[in-house]
Amino acid sequence: MGKKIKAQEVAYRYIKEQIDSGQFETGVKLIEQNISNDLEISRTPIREAISRLVEERYLIRIKNKGVVVHKQKISNKEFIEMTQLLEILLSHYLFQLQIKNETLLGTEILVPLGQLEFSTKLNERQKLMQLFLMKYLEKLDNQIMKQLIMKQFETIHYVDFPDASTHFLYDECCRSFKHMLQHINEKKYDFARKDVRILVNRLNLELIDQQI
């Protein structure tokens, strides 16, 4: 079992590095046997490594074609700009709730957040994040602003945190939104805005630390 896991990790790192370096370009079909020959390991751990990279959106399975490179990452600069915009938009929403003296009580909003917290699959967490946001932003009157917030969250998951867990973004969002909901329902809107600022700062600092 140990050797199998080690071989899978070798294959995973090899394929990921080839994609990151541009050796495997977007649209290129992966041939398991070629990778097996290059690494001198069996195809089973390579197949498992490919499944991990499909889940992490580095690769995609296409019917009648196989597995192809599908790297869709955003730059650190783009990520920071997006999170700064999110801070402005979410803070504006919290001001709107404060003016109307609104809360976000109810199980409808807690269920997707709980599922998001305990899910272990990245593609599933992405969908649950969007479902949670639909419930969280239910009282936002401006539909364009609502769509913009959801689009930003849909896009920022394409950033790469090489020194952090692949679940880092979703773990931080879960932690912060739990605090936000608590403060909103206690009508401590200033604390909720602080939670937004903390989330943005933690995400951006993780990227900055990687560049030092």
Side-chain angles (χ1 to χ4, degrees):
M1 178 64 77
K3 289 184 179 179
K4 181 181 177 182
I5 293 173
K6 185 177 179 180
Q8 181 195 133
E9 189 64 28
V10 168
Y12 169 84
R13 291 184 180 278
Y14 171 78
I15 298 169
K16 188 172 183 290
E17 285 170 6
Q18 295 300 304
I19 295 172
D20 286 336
S21 66
Q23 295 299 311
F24 290 172
E25 297 180 348
T26 297
V28 169
K29 179 182 176 180
L30 291 194
I31 308 297
E32 289 181 11
Q33 189 59 56
N34 291 347
I35 299 172
S36 176
N37 293 339
D38 290 341
L39 300 178
E40 297 183 346
I41 59 178
S42 69
R43 293 173 61 176
T44 300
I46 292 170
R47 196 170 296 121
E48 292 167 348
I50 286 173
S51 294
R52 283 176 63 186
L53 289 161
V54 167
E55 186 180 342
E56 293 175 15
R57 299 174 296 275
Y58 276 89
L59 304 172
I60 187 172
R61 297 186 194 277
I62 298 179
K63 190 176 180 180
N64 299 324
K65 186 173 182 180
V67 178
V68 300
V69 177
H70 183 67
K71 186 182 179 185
Q72 192 174 357
K73 297 292 179 180
I74 60 174
S75 69
N76 292 357
K77 183 175 181 292
E78 290 172 320
F79 179 83
I80 290 171
E81 289 173 352
M82 288 179 181
T83 54
Q84 288 172 341
L85 177 58
L86 275 172
E87 181 178 356
I88 294 170
L89 296 173
L90 289 172
S91 295
H92 179 82
Y93 177 46
L94 291 169
F95 274 119
Q96 184 184 103
L97 292 175
Q98 183 174 5
I99 290 169
K100 296 181 178 181
N101 202 33
E102 294 265 25
T103 60
L104 295 174
L105 294 168
T107 56
E108 284 189 359
I109 194 170
L110 294 176
V111 169
L113 183 60
Q115 292 173 331
L116 177 64
E117 182 179 10
F118 294 107
S119 175
T120 58
K121 296 181 179 179
L122 284 172
N123 55 353
E124 185 177 89
R125 294 190 95 180
Q126 182 185 352
K127 294 175 184 176
L128 288 168
M129 186 71 194
Q130 290 294 302
L131 180 60
F132 165 74
L133 287 171
M134 285 175 62
K135 299 297 182 183
Y136 181 80
L137 300 171
E138 216 164 34
K139 296 185 179 180
L140 180 57
D141 297 330
N142 190 317
Q143 294 302 309
I144 294 176
M145 187 180 295
K146 183 184 294 186
Q147 291 172 10
L148 186 55
I149 292 172
M150 294 190 68
K151 182 63 178 177
Q152 298 305 300
F153 271 106
E154 185 180 352
T155 305
I156 62 173
H157 76 266
Y158 289 119
V159 77
D160 188 20
F161 293 103
D163 296 332
S165 162
T166 52
H167 290 268
F168 172 77
L169 174 63
Y170 294 109
D171 291 341
E172 290 299 320
C173 285
C174 282
R175 185 181 298 110
S176 295
F177 276 109
K178 283 173 72 176
H179 291 156
M180 274 182 241
L181 283 174
Q182 179 183 341
H183 289 139
I184 290 168
N185 292 329
E186 292 173 352
K187 299 188 177 180
K188 296 178 179 177
Y189 304 101
D190 52 339
F191 283 86
R193 285 190 289 273
K194 184 178 179 182
D195 293 328
V196 173
R197 190 160 56 252
I198 290 171
L199 171 61
V200 169
N201 287 343
R202 283 182 63 84
L203 295 177
N204 291 341
L205 281 172
E206 180 64 29
L207 283 185
I208 293 169
D209 286 346
Q210 291 169 12
Q211 297 174 342
I212 296 174

